[in-house]
Amino acid sequence: MAFTAAPRPAKIELVKREEQRMAQTEQLVVDRREPDTGFGEERPIGDRLAREALKGQIAKLERELSGLVAQTFPHISPSDHEAELFSGPRLLSLGELERVRDRLALRVGEVQVEVRERSALEHRSRELLRRMKLEPGRYKFVRVPVADLGDGHCGVWEVRPRLGLIGMLAGWWQVKLSSGCP
Amino acid sequence: MSEGPVRGWCEREVQQELPGLGLMSVTVELPDGGSLTRGSSPAVRARLRELSNRWRGARAVNVRQEPIPAAYRVFFRQIGLDPDIARTPIEAAVLERMLDGGFLSEGLLADVLTIALIDTSVPVWALDATHVNGPLGIRVSRSKERLGRSPEGPSLGAGRLVVADADCPLAILFGQLGPGHEPSASTRRLTLFAVQVSGVPALHAEETLWACRSALAEDSA
């Protein structure tokens, strides 16, 4: 099995390598034209090193994914519906390890995008709530779910008229938090 | 009670491919008269309640980042399992605790295994020792092999990682036990085994087996 640390044509490269912040030396490029060494055969040292490097990358990506999921719980699902499913625990071939690594790298990339989008949503919602509190009259009946602020699951901030119809006619508006929890 | 935990064997190609993977086992003799499936003693139930109080939502969310559970997650990925689908034993137990509102008592043996798992994060399984021939170890299944000694055991196919004795695979690694190898109410000798992966100190694997053994001994006394 030939492998090299330098990118070459007709080679499979690590997906979104910049996003995964991996060192150049950690990025394996495997020649798919050469068959995998099967188990039960003595593997060359290069093959073993390639497998170790791939497993190191999988470990690093898994830790990164776990960190992102725990940090943003419960807004981002850890499940990857496109992950390749193997039939139970087994020793993976070099190609399979590479596919696991690539899929995990892609998933980390997807989760990072979701985290950024989530963070932007929370920032926008906090800013809107701040303005609603300053000038409730300008944001009549505007609602901001607490979940969008990243503060919990239940409740909605809403600009409502004080004393109902009277407040609506008189222009008395206030921001209220309804619990919304079951 | 028999002697302390012993390190199991590991097939050469498995050892080369997954350094740090290991199995530790211990055989436990149980006194006559007690059943493994009977209800647990008040002491064991109290321990489950205490552990339930220790594991609340915030810790459950972060369990995947704790060193030992994280080591099992990484290992699962490396053997082709997605730990968010086929959960690691500790994460499965913690998820169940969250759904049930506590670690519920399910009989003496199940409770003892749960306590050991939650205490150390290292999973432990029990086999009926009368059907175990020789020391346990980890290897790859061969073609046409079945799980367990029973001819009704599911076919494994080649290349699966299994826990085996001298004759046949007795359990899929981190998976189901072979039919007929699960301890029953009348089991008098148990083989307990714990699976250690890279990043998990041997001390934890030994600890989980000692914890099971002493809990069974206390409960049977």
Side-chain angles (χ1 to χ4, degrees), chain A residues 125-145 156-160 173-176:
Chain A
S125 301
R126 276 195 294 270
E127 182 55 29
L128 176 60
L129 180 63
R130 189 185 67 79
R131 283 189 272 119
M132 279 161 57
K133 283 178 176 171
L134 284 175
E135 295 179 277
R138 283 188 61 191
Y139 297 91
K140 293 168 190 166
F141 298 109
V142 170
R143 293 160 64 90
V144 177
V156 176
W157 289 95
E158 186 179 9
V159 178
R160 297 173 63 88
W173 295 90
Q174 63 180 347
V175 181
K176 286 203 80 171

Side-chain angles (χ1 to χ4, degrees), chain A residues 30-160:
Chain A
V30 179
D31 192 336
R32 279 265 164 87
R33 290 169 302 187
E34 293 187 19
D36 270 357
T37 309
F39 286 102
E41 300 166 36
E42 198 59 48
R43 288 193 212 104
I45 186 122
D47 184 283
R48 234 182 20 245
L49 289 175
R51 303 170 67 78
E52 274 167 27
L54 279 168
K55 282 187 280 176
Q57 290 168 10
I58 289 169
K60 187 173 176 177
L61 289 165
E62 167 52 41
R63 280 193 289 270
E64 195 172 346
L65 183 60
S66 286
L68 289 169
V69 168
Q71 176 195 324
T72 54
F73 182 86
H75 303 295
I76 291 172
S77 165
S79 301
D80 181 3
H81 302 292
E82 286 168 37
E84 186 176 357
L85 295 174
F86 297 99
S87 56
R90 45 198 292 242
L91 298 180
L92 301 184
S93 68
L94 190 60
E96 288 169 334
L97 274 174
E98 200 192 16
R99 289 205 299 278
V100 169
R101 186 273 316 266
D102 288 352
R103 184 59 222 164
L104 202 49
L106 210 59
R107 184 69 193 134
V108 171
E110 288 168 0
V111 169
Q112 281 172 338
V113 170
E114 287 178 49
V115 168
R116 276 198 293 275
E117 284 171 357
R118 176 79 212 167
S119 167
L121 170 71
E122 287 177 10
H123 179 76
R124 281 197 307 275
S125 301
R126 276 195 294 270
E127 182 55 29
L128 176 60
L129 180 63
R130 189 185 67 79
R131 283 189 272 119
M132 279 161 57
K133 283 178 176 171
L134 284 175
E135 295 179 277
R138 283 188 61 191
Y139 297 91
K140 293 168 190 166
F141 298 109
V142 170
R143 293 160 64 90
V144 177
V146 168
D148 288 356
L149 300 167
D151 293 339
H153 307 282
C154 306
V156 176
W157 289 95
E158 186 179 9
V159 178
R160 297 173 63 88

